[in-house]
Structures are given as structure tokens and as C-alpha cells.
Amino acid sequence: MPRSLLVLLLLVAAVAGSWLARSAMVRWRDLRAAQTYELAAEARPALVRAGAAALCLMCVSALGVAVLLGERGGVRQAVAAVEEGRSAGSADGAAASAPVSAAPVSASASASPSPSPVAFAAVGRAAGGELMQGAVPGPDGRARTVRVWLPAEYGRNATDRFPVIVLHSGTPGRTADADLPDVFDGVASAVQQGKARPFVVVAPEAPGGTGHPCDLVAAAPQAVADDAALRSAVGAAFRTLPAGPAGWSVLGVDGGAPCAAAAGLARPDLYGAAAAVSGRYDAKALTGAAAEAPGAVGARLLLAAAKRDTDGVASGRAVQAALRDAKSRAEVRTSEVVQDYTPERERLRLVRVAVQYLAEQLAK
């Protein structure tokens, strides 16, 4: 086999092995964090990546021996190729973890001086607005789906900037609107009734690797779905207010409610307010998340449930009492008066109440 081809194969194996090893370490840290808090987590992704990295290492060793059997000049060229592969692998890792990155991580992207922004394409219409979708790289380098709902008011003035609601999902690998397609109707109705200003709604795919993404957020607040890369991508593609508590909030409905509560309590530095609708909560875990929140500003959280949802009402009251007993800085309100003919109509009204609360709190 020509020596140049051996060097090329060696370079590819080194880069692939570096990326797989880094990805396996990330997955392993997530698994250890989940096990620490007795959360359900899958070890298979980490094991698969570790095995693939080991296979790449074997290939690098075999190819290295083949190249080293060549001439002395070939030896020096092989060493240079390996060092170049390591540099490319390190550049890929930096691109995946950079807080302002908005482009998918790849070997070609690491070579470009400035990554291109994420492209969002229209995938339909909902509640009078436009639904966009894009793919943003996650902490492990894997592209994740992000849906963005633009209200009808977005296209009426090309200079207006809009506050953001991050809509959390409680289903691994899915966006919240996939389980609750009518959630945008609740947001739009709050605006139509004059109870809130228009919001841009960002619905990121819930992280995988565990069957309980919301428990993971409570245990490790850095695991919020809208990390720095996602916020940068959204800010570059849409006319939103700058990321931060002055213009960004978080919402969760049903299965996503514990995610929103945990994110809001743990990260008041990211969200100006949080609202959780019809959820079931772990009061102890949420109290712990609130206690470790950065900064001196307390979180602002609304826990809303329909009047006939006795379990949801009791769960919300338990969280409120636990935070009060722990003397938490968090300001927690509950809403328990909504009732209507069907659960769907109650959910619509509860989302409307939640959006009104978020609008009021961001205006302060």
C-alpha cells in the first residue's frame, strides 16, 4: 500500500479516536452524575464510544508500525501527520465546547476561521405564527433539533426584538411541541387578550442518555437544554432580546414542568422567571437546586395546576413549603383556580396564565 495512503489512514484514525474518546468521557461524566443522584441512565452510549475509541487506537498503532517500517523521511512525515491529527481533534473539541459556537462541529468546520451560523428552515405554521427548525450542536458534538416559534407580530416590524420563552420537554430526544402541539395556542391567546407581549418560543430537544431529563437538570443545572451554543445560535438567527434574565424565561408543561422548575430555581442568572404547569415535583431535589443557585438574586417561579388536579396542586404546595422552610431566596407562587370542561381547555388556560406571569416578571 502506498505510504501516503497509510499516512492518510493514520490521520483519519487519530482524529476519529480523539473525538470518540472525548465524547465517551462526556457521556461517562453524565452517567456518574446521574448515578450519584440515583437517576436512571443508560451506559450503552458511553460504552459504544469507548469501544470505538479503542478500535481507533488499535488502528493507529497498526498503521504507525507500517509507516515506521518505511524510510527515515517517511518516519518524520508520519510523526508530523499524527501531530496534525491530534491538533485537528483538539480543535474539534474546542469548537464543540465554545460558548459562542453556533455551527455543527466537524473536522472541516474546525479548519474554517469563522463557523457559519445555524440555518433554521420553516416547517409549518402554528397559532398564527411560523414554526422554524434547525440543528444545533450539543455538548457531546451531536446535532440536536431546536424548534423556534415566531409569533404573528414578528413579521410586522423588522426592528422589534422579542423576549424569549424556553419551552422544556420531559421526553428524551423530543421537543416539547411534539408532545403538546397546542402549547403555542396558549402563548398566542395570552397576547391576543392583551395579557402579555409577544414572545419567541424556543423548544430544544431534551437531552438523551437518561429516561428522566428533568431529574438530570435538578441534579446538574449545567445540563439545561438551552446551553450557550443554543442561545448564541438563536440570537444570531432571530431578533430576540439578549440572552439573560432581562429577556429570557423558561416554561414547562406536564412532563416538562419539573425541567422548567429546576432550570428556573437553579439558574436565575439565565432566566428572569420560570413557570411550570401541571407537573409532579421532587421538592427535596428542587430545594437543593435552589440552594446552589449562583448570585444573590432569587429565582421567580410559578407553579400552576388546574383546580381538579389535586395531585398537581399538592405537589406544587409541597415545593413552595420546602423552599420556605429552607429559607430560600426563591419567590414561589402557585395558581390553583383554573377549571374548564376538558383537560385540553384547562391546559390552554393554564399556559395563558403562565405566559402572563412570565411577561409580568420580565417587565420588572
Side-chain angles (χ1 to χ4, degrees), residues 120 123 131-134 145-149 175 177-178 201-204:
F120 287 85
V123 293
L131 190 59
M132 313 291 288
Q133 180 172 306
T145 300
V146 177
R147 288 197 163 189
V148 178
W149 179 77
T175 58
D177 62 299
V201 181
V202 178

Side-chain angles (χ1 to χ4, degrees), residues 94-194:
S97 60
V100 297
S101 174
V105 179
S106 64
S108 60
S110 66
S112 60
S114 58
S116 57
V118 173
F120 287 85
V123 293
R125 298 190 63 81
E130 190 170 19
L131 190 59
M132 313 291 288
Q133 180 172 306
V136 179
D140 60 354
R142 183 183 67 85
R144 56 205 161 142
T145 300
V146 177
R147 288 197 163 189
V148 178
W149 179 77
L150 305 176
E153 294 79 5
Y154 187 87
R156 295 175 186 170
N157 192 327
T159 60
D160 285 351
R161 290 193 172 273
F162 295 79
V164 173
I165 294 175
V166 179
L167 184 62
H168 278 264
S169 169
T171 306
R174 291 171 66 89
T175 58
D177 62 299
D179 296 324
L180 303 165
D182 59 346
V183 68
F184 301 123
D185 294 305
V187 180
S189 68
V191 177
Q192 292 166 2
Q193 294 188 8

